Short mmCIF file of all heavy atoms in Angstrom, two decimals:
data_model
loop_
_atom_site.label_atom_id
_atom_site.label_comp_id
_atom_site.label_asym_id
_atom_site.label_seq_id
_atom_site.Cartn_x
_atom_site.Cartn_y
_atom_site.Cartn_z
N ASN O 10 107.02 104.53 89.69
CA ASN O 10 107.55 104.87 88.38
C ASN O 10 107.81 106.38 88.28
O ASN O 10 108.86 106.82 87.78
CB ASN O 10 106.58 104.42 87.29
CG ASN O 10 107.11 104.69 85.90
OD1 ASN O 10 108.15 104.18 85.50
ND2 ASN O 10 106.39 105.51 85.15
N TYR O 11 106.86 107.17 88.77
CA TYR O 11 106.98 108.63 88.69
C TYR O 11 108.22 109.12 89.44
O TYR O 11 108.96 109.99 88.96
CB TYR O 11 105.73 109.30 89.26
CG TYR O 11 105.80 110.81 89.24
CD1 TYR O 11 105.48 111.53 88.10
CD2 TYR O 11 106.22 111.52 90.37
CE1 TYR O 11 105.57 112.92 88.08
CE2 TYR O 11 106.31 112.89 90.36
CZ TYR O 11 105.99 113.59 89.21
OH TYR O 11 106.09 114.97 89.20
N PHE O 12 108.47 108.57 90.62
CA PHE O 12 109.60 109.01 91.44
C PHE O 12 110.86 108.17 91.22
O PHE O 12 111.85 108.32 91.94
CB PHE O 12 109.21 108.97 92.93
CG PHE O 12 108.26 110.07 93.32
CD1 PHE O 12 106.96 109.79 93.67
CD2 PHE O 12 108.68 111.39 93.31
CE1 PHE O 12 106.07 110.79 94.04
CE2 PHE O 12 107.81 112.41 93.67
CZ PHE O 12 106.50 112.11 94.04
N ASN O 13 110.79 107.29 90.22
CA ASN O 13 111.96 106.46 89.86
C ASN O 13 112.46 105.67 91.07
O ASN O 13 113.65 105.62 91.36
CB ASN O 13 113.08 107.32 89.28
CG ASN O 13 114.13 106.49 88.57
OD1 ASN O 13 113.84 105.41 88.04
ND2 ASN O 13 115.36 106.98 88.55
N GLN O 14 111.50 105.04 91.77
CA GLN O 14 111.81 104.24 92.94
C GLN O 14 111.56 102.76 92.64
O GLN O 14 110.70 102.42 91.83
CB GLN O 14 110.92 104.64 94.12
CG GLN O 14 111.07 106.08 94.56
CD GLN O 14 112.37 106.33 95.30
OE1 GLN O 14 112.75 105.55 96.18
NE2 GLN O 14 113.05 107.42 94.97
N GLN O 15 112.28 101.88 93.29
CA GLN O 15 112.09 100.45 93.12
C GLN O 15 110.89 99.98 93.95
O GLN O 15 110.79 100.29 95.13
CB GLN O 15 113.34 99.69 93.56
CG GLN O 15 114.56 99.95 92.70
CD GLN O 15 114.38 99.46 91.27
OE1 GLN O 15 113.89 98.34 91.05
NE2 GLN O 15 114.76 100.28 90.31
N ARG O 16 110.00 99.21 93.32
CA ARG O 16 108.83 98.71 94.04
C ARG O 16 109.19 97.52 94.93
O ARG O 16 108.57 97.30 95.98
CB ARG O 16 107.72 98.34 93.05
CG ARG O 16 106.47 97.80 93.70
CD ARG O 16 105.28 97.71 92.76
NE ARG O 16 104.51 98.95 92.77
CZ ARG O 16 104.50 99.84 91.81
NH1 ARG O 16 105.25 99.65 90.73
NH2 ARG O 16 103.78 100.93 91.90
N ASN O 17 110.15 96.75 94.54
CA ASN O 17 110.64 95.62 95.35
C ASN O 17 109.53 94.67 95.77
O ASN O 17 109.47 94.23 96.93
CB ASN O 17 111.38 96.14 96.58
CG ASN O 17 112.66 96.89 96.22
OD1 ASN O 17 113.34 96.54 95.26
ND2 ASN O 17 112.96 97.95 96.96
N GLY O 18 108.64 94.35 94.83
CA GLY O 18 107.61 93.36 95.09
C GLY O 18 106.40 93.87 95.84
O GLY O 18 105.47 93.08 96.11
N LEU O 19 106.35 95.14 96.20
CA LEU O 19 105.20 95.69 96.91
C LEU O 19 103.99 95.80 95.98
O LEU O 19 104.13 96.00 94.77
CB LEU O 19 105.54 97.06 97.49
CG LEU O 19 106.58 97.04 98.62
CD1 LEU O 19 107.08 98.45 98.91
CD2 LEU O 19 106.00 96.40 99.87
N SER O 20 102.81 95.69 96.55
CA SER O 20 101.59 95.62 95.73
C SER O 20 101.00 96.97 95.39
O SER O 20 100.19 97.08 94.46
CB SER O 20 100.52 94.80 96.47
OG SER O 20 100.16 95.43 97.70
N GLY O 21 101.34 98.01 96.15
CA GLY O 21 100.67 99.30 95.99
C GLY O 21 101.56 100.39 95.45
O GLY O 21 102.54 100.15 94.76
N GLY O 22 101.16 101.63 95.78
CA GLY O 22 101.88 102.79 95.28
C GLY O 22 101.24 103.37 94.04
O GLY O 22 101.94 103.88 93.16
N TYR O 23 99.90 103.32 93.98
CA TYR O 23 99.16 103.86 92.83
C TYR O 23 98.19 104.94 93.31
O TYR O 23 97.62 104.84 94.40
CB TYR O 23 98.39 102.76 92.11
CG TYR O 23 99.26 101.66 91.57
CD1 TYR O 23 99.45 100.47 92.29
CD2 TYR O 23 99.92 101.80 90.34
CE1 TYR O 23 100.27 99.46 91.80
CE2 TYR O 23 100.73 100.79 89.85
CZ TYR O 23 100.91 99.62 90.57
OH TYR O 23 101.72 98.63 90.10
N LEU O 24 98.04 105.95 92.49
CA LEU O 24 97.17 107.07 92.82
C LEU O 24 96.18 107.29 91.69
O LEU O 24 96.59 107.53 90.55
CB LEU O 24 98.02 108.33 93.05
CG LEU O 24 97.36 109.51 93.76
CD1 LEU O 24 96.96 109.15 95.18
CD2 LEU O 24 98.32 110.71 93.78
N GLN O 25 94.89 107.17 91.99
CA GLN O 25 93.84 107.40 90.99
C GLN O 25 93.31 108.81 91.16
O GLN O 25 92.87 109.20 92.24
CB GLN O 25 92.70 106.39 91.17
CG GLN O 25 91.69 106.36 90.04
CD GLN O 25 92.24 105.68 88.80
OE1 GLN O 25 92.93 104.68 88.89
NE2 GLN O 25 91.91 106.21 87.63
N LEU O 26 93.36 109.59 90.08
CA LEU O 26 92.97 111.00 90.13
C LEU O 26 91.56 111.19 89.58
O LEU O 26 91.17 110.57 88.58
CB LEU O 26 93.95 111.84 89.31
CG LEU O 26 95.44 111.66 89.60
CD1 LEU O 26 96.26 112.58 88.71
CD2 LEU O 26 95.74 111.92 91.07
N TYR O 27 90.82 112.09 90.22
CA TYR O 27 89.44 112.41 89.81
C TYR O 27 89.25 113.92 89.85
O TYR O 27 89.50 114.55 90.88
CB TYR O 27 88.42 111.78 90.76
CG TYR O 27 88.44 110.28 90.84
CD1 TYR O 27 89.31 109.63 91.71
CD2 TYR O 27 87.57 109.50 90.07
CE1 TYR O 27 89.33 108.25 91.81
CE2 TYR O 27 87.59 108.12 90.16
CZ TYR O 27 88.47 107.50 91.03
OH TYR O 27 88.48 106.13 91.14
N CYS O 28 88.79 114.48 88.73
CA CYS O 28 88.50 115.91 88.70
C CYS O 28 87.56 116.22 87.55
O CYS O 28 87.70 115.64 86.46
CB CYS O 28 89.80 116.71 88.54
SG CYS O 28 89.57 118.50 88.62
N PRO O 29 86.59 117.12 87.73
CA PRO O 29 85.70 117.51 86.62
C PRO O 29 86.51 118.09 85.47
O PRO O 29 87.57 118.69 85.67
CB PRO O 29 84.79 118.57 87.25
CG PRO O 29 84.84 118.31 88.71
CD PRO O 29 86.23 117.80 88.98
N ALA O 30 85.99 117.91 84.27
CA ALA O 30 86.65 118.48 83.09
C ALA O 30 86.64 119.99 83.15
O ALA O 30 85.73 120.61 83.72
CB ALA O 30 85.94 118.00 81.83
N VAL O 31 87.67 120.61 82.58
CA VAL O 31 87.77 122.06 82.54
C VAL O 31 86.74 122.61 81.56
O VAL O 31 86.62 122.12 80.43
CB VAL O 31 89.19 122.50 82.13
CG1 VAL O 31 89.26 124.01 81.95
CG2 VAL O 31 90.20 122.02 83.15
N CYS O 32 85.99 123.60 81.98
CA CYS O 32 85.04 124.29 81.10
C CYS O 32 85.73 125.51 80.53
O CYS O 32 86.08 126.44 81.27
CB CYS O 32 83.79 124.69 81.88
SG CYS O 32 82.54 125.50 80.84
N GLU O 33 85.93 125.53 79.22
CA GLU O 33 86.72 126.58 78.57
C GLU O 33 86.07 127.95 78.65
O GLU O 33 86.73 128.97 78.49
CB GLU O 33 86.99 126.21 77.10
CG GLU O 33 87.76 124.91 76.91
CD GLU O 33 89.16 124.96 77.49
OE1 GLU O 33 89.68 126.08 77.65
OE2 GLU O 33 89.73 123.89 77.78
N THR O 34 84.77 128.01 78.86
CA THR O 34 84.07 129.30 78.89
C THR O 34 84.05 129.93 80.28
O THR O 34 83.52 131.03 80.45
CB THR O 34 82.61 129.12 78.41
OG1 THR O 34 81.94 128.21 79.29
CG2 THR O 34 82.58 128.60 76.99
N LEU O 35 84.64 129.24 81.26
CA LEU O 35 84.66 129.75 82.63
C LEU O 35 86.10 129.96 83.10
O LEU O 35 87.04 129.40 82.53
CB LEU O 35 83.97 128.76 83.58
CG LEU O 35 82.49 128.50 83.33
CD1 LEU O 35 82.00 127.38 84.24
CD2 LEU O 35 81.66 129.76 83.53
N LYS O 36 86.26 130.78 84.12
CA LYS O 36 87.58 130.97 84.71
C LYS O 36 88.08 129.63 85.26
O LYS O 36 87.30 128.83 85.77
CB LYS O 36 87.52 131.99 85.84
CG LYS O 36 87.24 133.41 85.39
CD LYS O 36 87.22 134.35 86.59
CE LYS O 36 86.96 135.78 86.15
NZ LYS O 36 86.91 136.70 87.33
N ARG O 37 89.40 129.44 85.16
CA ARG O 37 89.99 128.19 85.67
C ARG O 37 89.86 128.14 87.18
O ARG O 37 90.16 129.09 87.88
CB ARG O 37 91.45 128.10 85.26
CG ARG O 37 92.10 126.75 85.58
CD ARG O 37 93.46 126.67 84.92
NE ARG O 37 94.07 125.36 85.10
CZ ARG O 37 95.04 125.11 85.97
NH1 ARG O 37 95.50 126.09 86.73
NH2 ARG O 37 95.56 123.91 86.06
N LYS O 38 89.40 127.02 87.67
CA LYS O 38 89.20 126.84 89.11
C LYS O 38 90.45 126.25 89.76
O LYS O 38 91.11 125.39 89.20
CB LYS O 38 87.99 125.93 89.37
CG LYS O 38 86.68 126.51 88.89
CD LYS O 38 85.53 125.53 89.09
CE LYS O 38 84.20 126.16 88.72
NZ LYS O 38 84.15 126.52 87.29
N ILE O 39 90.73 126.72 90.96
CA ILE O 39 91.79 126.15 91.78
C ILE O 39 91.10 125.43 92.93
O ILE O 39 90.44 126.05 93.77
CB ILE O 39 92.74 127.24 92.32
CG1 ILE O 39 93.31 128.07 91.17
CG2 ILE O 39 93.85 126.59 93.14
CD1 ILE O 39 94.10 127.26 90.16
N ARG O 40 91.24 124.12 92.95
CA ARG O 40 90.47 123.28 93.88
C ARG O 40 91.34 122.85 95.06
O ARG O 40 92.54 122.63 94.92
CB ARG O 40 89.93 122.05 93.17
CG ARG O 40 89.03 122.37 91.99
CD ARG O 40 88.61 121.11 91.23
NE ARG O 40 87.89 121.47 90.01
CZ ARG O 40 86.59 121.70 89.96
NH1 ARG O 40 85.87 121.59 91.06
NH2 ARG O 40 86.00 122.03 88.81
N CYS O 41 90.70 122.68 96.19
CA CYS O 41 91.34 121.98 97.30
C CYS O 41 91.33 120.49 96.98
O CYS O 41 90.54 120.02 96.17
CB CYS O 41 90.59 122.25 98.60
SG CYS O 41 90.47 124.01 99.01
N CYS O 42 92.22 119.76 97.61
CA CYS O 42 92.40 118.36 97.26
C CYS O 42 92.09 117.44 98.42
O CYS O 42 92.48 117.72 99.57
CB CYS O 42 93.84 118.13 96.80
SG CYS O 42 94.19 116.42 96.31
N GLN O 43 91.40 116.34 98.13
CA GLN O 43 91.16 115.28 99.10
C GLN O 43 91.93 114.04 98.67
O GLN O 43 91.66 113.46 97.62
CB GLN O 43 89.66 114.95 99.18
CG GLN O 43 88.77 116.10 99.62
CD GLN O 43 88.82 116.36 101.11
OE1 GLN O 43 89.86 116.25 101.74
NE2 GLN O 43 87.69 116.68 101.70
N LEU O 44 92.91 113.66 99.48
CA LEU O 44 93.66 112.42 99.26
C LEU O 44 92.97 111.34 100.08
O LEU O 44 93.01 111.37 101.31
CB LEU O 44 95.11 112.59 99.70
CG LEU O 44 95.95 111.32 99.76
CD1 LEU O 44 96.06 110.65 98.39
CD2 LEU O 44 97.33 111.61 100.34
N ILE O 45 92.34 110.40 99.43
CA ILE O 45 91.52 109.40 100.11
C ILE O 45 92.32 108.11 100.30
O ILE O 45 92.92 107.58 99.35
CB ILE O 45 90.23 109.15 99.30
CG1 ILE O 45 89.41 110.44 99.27
CG2 ILE O 45 89.41 108.01 99.91
CD1 ILE O 45 88.52 110.59 98.08
N ILE O 46 92.33 107.63 101.54
CA ILE O 46 93.11 106.45 101.91
C ILE O 46 92.16 105.42 102.50
O ILE O 46 91.79 105.49 103.68
CB ILE O 46 94.23 106.82 102.90
CG1 ILE O 46 95.10 107.96 102.30
CG2 ILE O 46 95.06 105.61 103.24
CD1 ILE O 46 96.24 108.40 103.19
N PRO O 47 91.71 104.46 101.69
CA PRO O 47 90.73 103.47 102.16
C PRO O 47 91.29 102.55 103.24
O PRO O 47 92.50 102.45 103.44
CB PRO O 47 90.41 102.66 100.88
CG PRO O 47 90.89 103.51 99.74
CD PRO O 47 92.06 104.27 100.28
N GLY O 48 90.37 101.88 103.93
CA GLY O 48 90.75 100.89 104.93
C GLY O 48 90.82 99.50 104.33
O GLY O 48 90.87 99.31 103.12
N GLY O 49 90.81 98.50 105.22
CA GLY O 49 90.89 97.11 104.79
C GLY O 49 91.79 96.28 105.67
O GLY O 49 92.28 95.22 105.26
N GLY O 50 92.05 96.77 106.90
CA GLY O 50 92.84 95.99 107.84
C GLY O 50 94.28 95.78 107.44
O GLY O 50 94.95 94.88 107.95
N TYR O 51 94.78 96.59 106.52
CA TYR O 51 96.13 96.46 105.98
C TYR O 51 96.33 95.15 105.22
O TYR O 51 97.46 94.82 104.85
CB TYR O 51 97.21 96.59 107.07
CG TYR O 51 97.52 98.02 107.48
CD1 TYR O 51 97.35 98.44 108.80
CD2 TYR O 51 98.00 98.94 106.55
CE1 TYR O 51 97.66 99.75 109.18
CE2 TYR O 51 98.31 100.24 106.93
CZ TYR O 51 98.13 100.64 108.25
OH TYR O 51 98.43 101.94 108.62
N ASN O 52 95.22 94.39 104.97
CA ASN O 52 95.36 93.17 104.17
C ASN O 52 94.61 93.24 102.85
O ASN O 52 94.72 92.34 102.03
CB ASN O 52 94.97 91.92 104.95
CG ASN O 52 93.51 91.90 105.35
OD1 ASN O 52 92.65 92.45 104.66
ND2 ASN O 52 93.21 91.28 106.47
N HIS O 53 93.83 94.29 102.65
CA HIS O 53 93.19 94.56 101.36
C HIS O 53 92.79 96.03 101.33
O HIS O 53 92.86 96.72 102.34
CB HIS O 53 91.97 93.64 101.13
CG HIS O 53 90.79 93.97 101.99
ND1 HIS O 53 90.70 93.59 103.32
CD2 HIS O 53 89.64 94.66 101.71
CE1 HIS O 53 89.55 94.01 103.83
NE2 HIS O 53 88.90 94.67 102.88
N ILE O 54 92.38 96.50 100.17
CA ILE O 54 91.91 97.88 100.00
C ILE O 54 90.40 97.84 99.81
O ILE O 54 89.90 97.20 98.88
CB ILE O 54 92.57 98.56 98.78
CG1 ILE O 54 94.10 98.56 98.92
CG2 ILE O 54 92.03 99.97 98.60
CD1 ILE O 54 94.64 99.41 100.04
N SER O 55 89.66 98.50 100.68
CA SER O 55 88.20 98.48 100.64
C SER O 55 87.68 99.35 99.50
O SER O 55 87.85 100.57 99.52
CB SER O 55 87.65 98.99 101.97
OG SER O 55 86.24 99.16 101.89
N PRO O 56 87.01 98.76 98.49
CA PRO O 56 86.53 99.55 97.34
C PRO O 56 85.52 100.62 97.73
O PRO O 56 85.49 101.70 97.14
CB PRO O 56 85.90 98.50 96.43
CG PRO O 56 86.45 97.19 96.87
CD PRO O 56 86.71 97.32 98.34
N ARG O 57 84.67 100.33 98.73
CA ARG O 57 83.61 101.29 99.05
C ARG O 57 84.13 102.51 99.81
O ARG O 57 83.38 103.46 100.03
CB ARG O 57 82.49 100.61 99.83
CG ARG O 57 82.86 100.08 101.20
CD ARG O 57 81.64 99.46 101.82
NE ARG O 57 81.89 98.87 103.13
CZ ARG O 57 80.94 98.35 103.90
NH1 ARG O 57 79.70 98.33 103.47
NH2 ARG O 57 81.22 97.84 105.08
N GLU O 58 85.41 102.47 100.20
CA GLU O 58 86.01 103.63 100.84
C GLU O 58 86.96 104.37 99.91
O GLU O 58 87.73 105.22 100.35
CB GLU O 58 86.73 103.19 102.12
CG GLU O 58 85.76 102.67 103.18
CD GLU O 58 86.41 101.89 104.30
OE1 GLU O 58 87.62 101.55 104.19
OE2 GLU O 58 85.72 101.62 105.30
N GLY O 59 86.85 104.05 98.62
CA GLY O 59 87.70 104.69 97.63
C GLY O 59 86.92 105.56 96.67
O GLY O 59 86.60 106.71 96.97
N GLU O 60 86.57 105.01 95.50
CA GLU O 60 85.93 105.82 94.47
C GLU O 60 84.61 106.47 94.90
O GLU O 60 84.39 107.65 94.58
CB GLU O 60 85.70 104.98 93.22
CG GLU O 60 85.14 105.79 92.06
CD GLU O 60 85.11 105.01 90.76
OE1 GLU O 60 84.14 104.27 90.54
OE2 GLU O 60 86.09 105.15 89.99
N PRO O 61 83.71 105.78 95.62
CA PRO O 61 82.47 106.47 96.04
C PRO O 61 82.75 107.71 96.88
O PRO O 61 82.04 108.71 96.77
CB PRO O 61 81.73 105.40 96.85
CG PRO O 61 82.25 104.10 96.32
CD PRO O 61 83.69 104.35 96.02
N VAL O 62 83.76 107.65 97.71
CA VAL O 62 84.13 108.82 98.53
C VAL O 62 84.70 109.91 97.63
O VAL O 62 84.35 111.09 97.77
CB VAL O 62 85.14 108.42 99.61
CG1 VAL O 62 85.49 109.62 100.48
CG2 VAL O 62 84.60 107.28 100.48
N ALA O 63 85.56 109.52 96.70
CA ALA O 63 86.16 110.49 95.78
C ALA O 63 85.09 111.24 95.00
O ALA O 63 85.12 112.47 94.89
CB ALA O 63 87.11 109.78 94.82
N LEU O 64 84.12 110.50 94.46
CA LEU O 64 83.08 111.14 93.65
C LEU O 64 82.21 112.05 94.49
O LEU O 64 81.73 113.09 94.01
CB LEU O 64 82.23 110.07 92.96
CG LEU O 64 82.98 109.20 91.94
CD1 LEU O 64 82.05 108.16 91.33
CD2 LEU O 64 83.60 110.07 90.85
N ARG O 65 82.01 111.68 95.75
CA ARG O 65 81.22 112.55 96.63
C ARG O 65 81.93 113.89 96.85
O ARG O 65 81.29 114.96 96.80
CB ARG O 65 81.00 111.84 97.97
CG ARG O 65 80.15 112.63 98.97
CD ARG O 65 78.71 112.73 98.50
NE ARG O 65 77.91 113.44 99.47
CZ ARG O 65 77.32 112.88 100.53
NH1 ARG O 65 77.45 111.57 100.74
NH2 ARG O 65 76.59 113.59 101.35
N PHE O 66 83.23 113.85 97.05
CA PHE O 66 83.96 115.10 97.25
C PHE O 66 84.13 115.88 95.95
O PHE O 66 84.12 117.11 95.97
CB PHE O 66 85.31 114.82 97.91
CG PHE O 66 85.23 114.59 99.39
CD1 PHE O 66 85.55 113.36 99.94
CD2 PHE O 66 84.82 115.61 100.24
CE1 PHE O 66 85.46 113.15 101.32
CE2 PHE O 66 84.73 115.40 101.61
CZ PHE O 66 85.05 114.18 102.15
N VAL O 67 84.29 115.18 94.83
CA VAL O 67 84.34 115.87 93.54
C VAL O 67 83.05 116.65 93.31
O VAL O 67 83.07 117.79 92.83
CB VAL O 67 84.60 114.87 92.39
CG1 VAL O 67 84.33 115.51 91.03
CG2 VAL O 67 86.03 114.36 92.45
#
Side-chain angles (χ1 to χ4, degrees):
N10 183 61
Y11 178 83
F12 287 111
N13 195 28
Q14 299 287 315
Q15 294 296 315
R16 180 168 270 106
N17 294 325
L19 293 167
S20 63
Y23 300 97
L24 196 63
Q25 191 74 40
L26 309 180
Y27 299 85
C28 185
V31 174
C32 182
E33 300 296 338
T34 60
L35 298 173
K36 292 181 179 178
R37 188 170 185 257
K38 296 176 176 63
I39 305 300
R40 302 175 187 274
C41 302
C42 180
Q43 298 283 38
L44 169 61
I45 297 152
I46 305 180
Y51 280 121
N52 64 30
H53 71 282
I54 301 294
S55 172
R57 64 180 178 176
E58 294 165 348
E60 185 171 85
V62 182
L64 295 179
R65 182 69 178 274
F66 281 115
V67 166

